[in-house]
Amino acid sequence: MTALQLKNISFGYRKNEKVLDSVNLSVEKGTVYGFLGANGAGKTTTIRLILGLLKAKDGHIKLFEKDIKDVYPKGLKQVGSLVESPSIYGHLSAKDNLKIWCKNFNIPQSRIFEVLEEVNLSDTKNKKTSNFSTGMKQRLGLAISLLHNPEFLILDEPINGLDPMGIIEFRKIILEQKEKGRTILLSSHILSEVEKMVDRIGILKNGKIVFEGSISDLEKLRQKDVQLKIKVDDVKRTIPLIGERNVNEVDRNYIHCVIANESEIPGLIEKLVSEKIKVFEFSQLSSDLENMFINVANE
Amino acid sequence: MLALISAEFTKLKYPPIYWLVGFVVSIMAALIFASHYFDINNIARINVDPWFKLMTASNSILAVFISVPFVVLFISAAVFIEHHSNIWKQQYVSPFGRSTIYYSKLATILLLVLFTFILVLCMTTLCGYVLNIIFPEIEFAFYSPPFGKWIQTTLRVFISLLGIIGIQYFLSLRFKGFLIPASIGVVFFVVGIIIGAMNNPIAKFFPYSYPMIFRDHKMFTIDKINITDYGILNSVELNSILCFVLFILLGNVLELNRKVD
């Protein structure tokens, strides 16, 4: 079953502006979907459209196979969300913040303690949230989104501003939610972190989906190309030897490039040496999601 | 809707709101107490119910000087909590619908204004009994407080405020900060007092003057304002209700179409 489906979604804040251009994506029930893209790519806009905060100009959004227009706002009962920074009343404690949502959703207040436990905030339930750290606020935001036991979690940049410990803790919580069978859409630009949590990813660039697939699809891409970092004395003479198309980035004496196969490396080194180019460094970069993302986004 | 109103009350555990309500109740009690304490010779009359004088004084001070700044500051603060906590997006992605959220917040505001007025009534009644301990000749203990009449006149003060409540709620939702809606309200309050005190007929169309002209408080002359009495309500009170309905409906339409940051 598809938890979320976007079909040809286009949107612009002004006439003739296209923040999103025919975006298609689908999130299967019970999976974690990583929604990736650089800042300004249109991730938050997409999430706002899904949640009904904005209205799409073209296309359809289906939530659990029903058009969002037909089920809005009641259909959002199945959705828990955290859009950018968490919405928290700073003058209240974590418990009181959750009490508000308990009353709104008409659910027993015993649920407060369950979600506080889930996000590891039980010890600070009575502390004023204005005194919370960024990580604690994010976790409380997540607790609010979990409170009504939604089937589907939509989290927009939830690890933004978290320190490494905070990121590890947050990841653990997300993985626990995944184990509980929840469907999760997770947007981020911190790619290496998303890689550890998601089943499928979609990469958004300038309002268009430029890659969508499973982690194993990504692995295939990873095996296909070899990323190199070369430091030479003459960049200008080196580039034509590597092939201009293969060069991703030039940073002073460093060239970042891609070759199709590992077996091409000895030949390339020989070619550079025979042309009397001094090679100071020649390293193969690990082709993690971060590099894949840069490649896909640059294509 | 009731659940949402209950949640709204939890949100309002906000110190500035407590202080504001506490200040209004205390200042009203202090003014009533002082006005009686320093003018006891004029107030203590044999066979005259002192509660009516106290009730009239209380409602007049409340209507003319206290209620408008209170409502302006209270509504600005109550809505500011939402802006300040960046809460709209979370509210509007919940399955209740924007209108339900909009009206439940409004209902909470109305209930809390009424609650504050009831507190004022209780505190000024208490003042009467305290004055009676100091000046037994004033005979507050001899008569019963006219609660029925008192509640009725307090309700009329409330009705005269509805127009301002509608405008202030509208402004507070439109402007993100506290200062802009509060400042507009305070400036209009001063303008309202000036127009009303000048006995200018325009006051009938300026909601911020309504609490001081909806009845003759015997503080200013209002004979040129031409208020028509329709029985239960008069023309000023009707204008106040109309203004309230107009701004609340307009606010709801705008809220339904607002792009939330």
Side-chain angles (χ1 to χ4, degrees):
Chain A
M1 191 193 191
T2 314
L4 176 72
Q5 193 173 27
L6 268 67
K7 260 189 180 173
N8 299 321
I9 290 295
S10 296
F11 179 81
Y13 289 96
R14 287 178 217 98
K15 262 189 181 176
N16 304 325
E17 182 196 38
K18 276 205 167 173
V19 175
L20 296 178
D21 189 3
S22 294
V23 171
N24 292 292
L25 66 85
S26 65
V27 182
E28 288 302 310
K29 206 177 164 195
T31 61
V32 180
Y33 188 96
F35 191 39
L36 306 176
N39 288 333
K43 300 185 299 293
T44 301
T45 305
T46 310
I47 287 176
R48 285 173 182 273
L49 286 165
I50 296 167
L51 294 168
L53 287 172
L54 297 170
K55 282 171 193 157
K57 284 179 183 165
D58 299 305
H60 297 278
I61 299 173
K62 284 186 174 179
L63 199 59
F64 293 103
E65 296 178 352
K66 283 178 187 158
D67 200 304
I68 189 89
K69 284 175 198 157
D70 300 334
V71 295
Y72 184 82
K74 283 188 177 159
L76 292 174
K77 209 168 188 173
Q78 291 168 288
V79 181
S81 60
L82 177 57
V83 185
E84 291 176 308
S85 54
S87 302
I88 293 168
Y89 294 101
H91 62 284
L92 298 176
S93 66
K95 198 173 128 191
D96 279 341
N97 267 285
L98 289 165
K99 202 188 272 180
I100 289 169
W101 293 101
C102 261
K103 286 178 179 176
N104 282 346
F105 282 105
N106 234 337
I107 47 180
Q109 294 197 4
S110 56
R111 178 80 184 127
I112 291 173
F113 304 102
E114 288 170 22
V115 288
L116 282 172
E117 195 69 46
E118 280 182 55
V119 299
N120 301 327
L121 281 177
S122 298
D123 298 339
T124 45
K125 60 177 180 282
N126 293 319
K127 192 176 171 183
K128 225 169 130 182
T129 55
S130 56
N131 299 323
F132 272 19
S133 67
T134 310
M136 288 162 86
K137 283 180 184 167
Q138 289 294 88
R139 279 185 279 147
L140 180 58
L142 182 62
I144 292 170
S145 63
L146 287 171
L147 196 68
H148 59 292
N149 251 322
E151 285 182 61
F152 187 17
L153 273 181
I154 297 178
L155 309 173
D156 185 19
E157 306 266 7
I159 41 186
N160 241 5
L162 298 187
D163 59 20
M165 279 309 290
I167 293 174
I168 291 167
E169 210 165 341
F170 206 88
R171 190 196 308 150
K172 207 178 131 203
I173 297 167
I174 295 294
L175 291 173
E176 280 168 9
Q177 295 307 319
K178 183 186 172 182
E179 272 172 31
K180 286 179 182 171
R182 287 192 215 281
T183 311
I184 302 168
L185 174 78
L186 185 78
S187 90
S188 181
H189 62 272
I190 306 173
L191 312 165
S192 49
E193 286 310 321
V194 169
E195 186 181 27
K196 291 161 188 159
M197 293 184 255
V198 301
D199 302 309
R200 279 176 72 82
I201 60 163
I203 298 176
L204 192 68
K205 191 201 166 194
N206 294 336
K208 284 185 176 177
I209 293 279
V210 289
F211 174 85
E212 201 193 14
S214 65
I215 288 289
S216 57
D217 291 337
L218 193 70
E219 291 291 339
K220 281 176 201 161
L221 275 176
R222 186 179 293 188
Q223 283 157 14
K224 217 172 81 180
D225 293 330
V226 177
Q227 311 264 335
L228 296 175
K229 184 183 175 187
I230 311 167
K231 189 181 179 187
V232 290
D233 65 337
D234 193 338
V235 170
K236 274 187 186 170
R237 281 205 302 133
T238 311
I239 291 174
L241 297 171
I242 299 168
E244 222 162 300
R245 278 190 320 143
N246 299 328
V247 176
N248 283 339
E249 202 184 335
V250 178
D251 179 16
R252 275 176 278 175
N253 289 343
Y254 285 96
I255 297 170
H256 293 256
C257 60
V258 182
I259 54 169
N261 203 304
E262 222 173 34
S263 61
E264 290 179 19
I265 292 176
L268 183 59
I269 293 173
E270 264 176 41
K271 210 193 273 182
L272 295 178
V273 173
S274 66
E275 289 292 325
K276 301 219 163 111
I277 290 168
K278 286 179 185 164
V279 181
F280 300 106
E281 192 183 323
F282 199 104
S283 52
Q284 190 175 336
L285 296 175
S286 62
S287 186
D288 61 4
L289 187 58
E290 196 84 34
N291 291 315
M292 286 311 310
F293 171 71
I294 292 165
N295 283 347
V296 173
N298 283 337
E299 269 169 19
Chain B
M1 180 100 167
L2 281 176
L4 291 186
I5 292 172
S6 166
E8 289 292 333
F9 277 102
T10 309
K11 285 179 202 173
L12 293 177
K13 282 185 184 175
Y14 186 50
I17 286 182
Y18 288 159
W19 282 106
L20 185 62
V21 171
F23 177 77
V24 164
V25 174
S26 318
I27 196 84
M28 279 299 299
L31 286 172
I32 292 297
F33 186 87
S35 64
H36 282 69
Y37 186 89
F38 295 110
D39 199 20
I40 197 66
N41 294 331
N42 273 329
I43 287 165
R45 296 277 162 84
I46 296 166
N47 290 332
V48 175
D49 186 344
W51 286 110
F52 276 95
K53 204 159 194 174
L54 185 138
M55 179 189 80
T56 308
S58 172
N59 276 332
S60 298
I61 294 170
L62 181 70
V64 178
F65 300 112
I66 307 289
S67 62
V68 181
F70 164 67
V71 160
V72 165
L73 296 176
F74 176 71
I75 296 174
S76 302
V79 180
F80 173 70
I81 295 171
E82 308 290 341
H83 293 309
H84 182 65
S85 310
N86 193 18
I87 219 85
W88 293 112
K89 60 175 194 265
Q90 191 72 39
Q91 298 229 58
Y92 287 169
V93 299
S94 51
F96 318 117
R98 292 189 179 197
S99 291
T100 313
I101 294 163
Y102 177 82
Y103 287 113
S104 56
K105 187 148 204 77
L106 175 67
T108 311
I109 287 169
L110 294 174
L111 286 172
L112 270 163
V113 171
L114 271 174
F115 172 73
T116 308
F117 287 0
I118 290 167
L119 275 184
V120 167
L121 192 152
C122 295
M123 278 302 283
T124 42
T125 307
L126 191 68
C127 266
Y129 287 112
V130 173
L131 281 163
N132 195 76
I133 296 167
I134 305 166
F135 307 109
E137 67 274 21
I138 206 165
E139 293 187 320
F140 274 113
F142 184 76
Y143 297 94
S144 300
F147 284 125
K149 178 82 181 158
W150 205 339
I151 289 168
Q152 199 187 329
T153 49
T154 305
L155 273 177
R156 292 189 74 170
V157 176
F158 179 73
I159 291 168
S160 73
L161 279 167
L162 283 175
I164 302 170
I165 292 174
I167 295 171
Q168 285 303 134
Y169 190 54
F170 177 86
L171 291 174
S172 301
L173 286 166
R174 301 272 73 75
F175 296 102
K176 274 188 178 178
F178 169 83
L179 269 180
I180 296 176
S183 307
I184 293 172
V186 170
V187 170
F188 281 178
F189 162 63
V190 175
V191 174
I193 284 209
I194 294 168
I195 296 174
M198 284 168 68
N199 198 9
N200 192 319
I202 292 172
K204 211 162 74 173
F205 306 102
F206 190 66
Y208 289 78
S209 293
Y210 293 171
M212 68 179 293
I213 61 162
F214 80 96
R215 62 180 283 263
D216 192 352
H217 296 292
K218 308 257 190 291
M219 287 189 194
F220 316 96
T221 314
I222 54 165
D223 56 335
K224 284 185 188 164
I225 296 172
N226 292 329
I227 299 163
T228 317
D229 205 335
Y230 296 110
I232 302 169
L233 298 169
N234 61 34
S235 52
V236 169
E237 289 159 343
L238 276 175
N239 284 354
S240 179
I241 293 169
L242 277 175
C243 179
F244 173 77
V245 172
L246 188 76
F247 273 91
I248 292 304
L249 291 179
L250 182 64
N252 187 27
V253 171
L254 292 178
E255 209 51 30
L256 286 172
N257 295 296
R258 181 156 70 102
K259 281 180 186 165
V260 181
D261 295 331

